[in-house]
Amino acid sequence: MMTSIRTTKQLGDALRAARKQLSLTQPQLALAAGVGVRFIVDLEAGKPTLRLENVMRVIDVLGGTLQIIDLPSDTSKNFSRGK
């Protein structure tokens, strides 16, 4: 299933729903992903300052992937570098 995510809160909600669908507790998910339970709590709450590497590990453990769509392929046309 594809879910459009635009906020950290939406990401947290989607990951919580996936965890519950898999009948995992927060401690079980934390152990499987190699993160602390506090990280899972913060992630599911939509905390915006979490480490991306750990977020990716949680997504992987839940069986998901991260896809980025609709970005321009050549960002140098849209932004000036070094200015």
Side-chain angles (χ1 to χ4, degrees), residues 4 7-8 11 14-15 21 23 26 28-29 31 46 61 63 66 70 72 79 81-82:
S4 180
T7 68
T8 56
L11 178 61
L15 295 178
Q21 178 119 20
S23 299
Q26 288 176 330
Q28 288 170 329
L29 178 57
L31 182 63
V61 166
L66 180 67
D70 297 333
F79 299 100
R81 294 180 186 236

Side-chain angles (χ1 to χ4, degrees), residues 4-80:
S4 180
I5 304 288
R6 294 191 177 268
T7 68
T8 56
K9 178 70 172 117
Q10 289 173 336
L11 178 61
D13 290 344
L15 295 178
R16 179 185 305 106
R19 175 181 61 78
K20 288 184 175 187
Q21 178 119 20
L22 294 170
S23 299
L24 293 171
T25 64
Q26 288 176 330
Q28 288 170 329
L29 178 57
L31 182 63
V35 299
V37 175
R38 181 83 238 167
F39 181 86
I40 301 298
V41 170
D42 288 345
L43 177 59
E44 290 184 357
K47 184 176 180 180
T49 57
L50 297 176
R51 188 172 181 162
L52 181 58
E53 177 183 13
N54 291 344
V55 174
M56 298 297 295
R57 287 163 58 182
V58 171
I59 291 171
D60 184 55
V61 166
L62 292 172
T65 59
L66 180 67
Q67 294 184 346
I68 298 176
I69 57 172
D70 297 333
L71 290 180
S73 60
D74 185 1
T75 58
S76 65
K77 292 180 182 176
N78 297 322
F79 299 100
S80 297

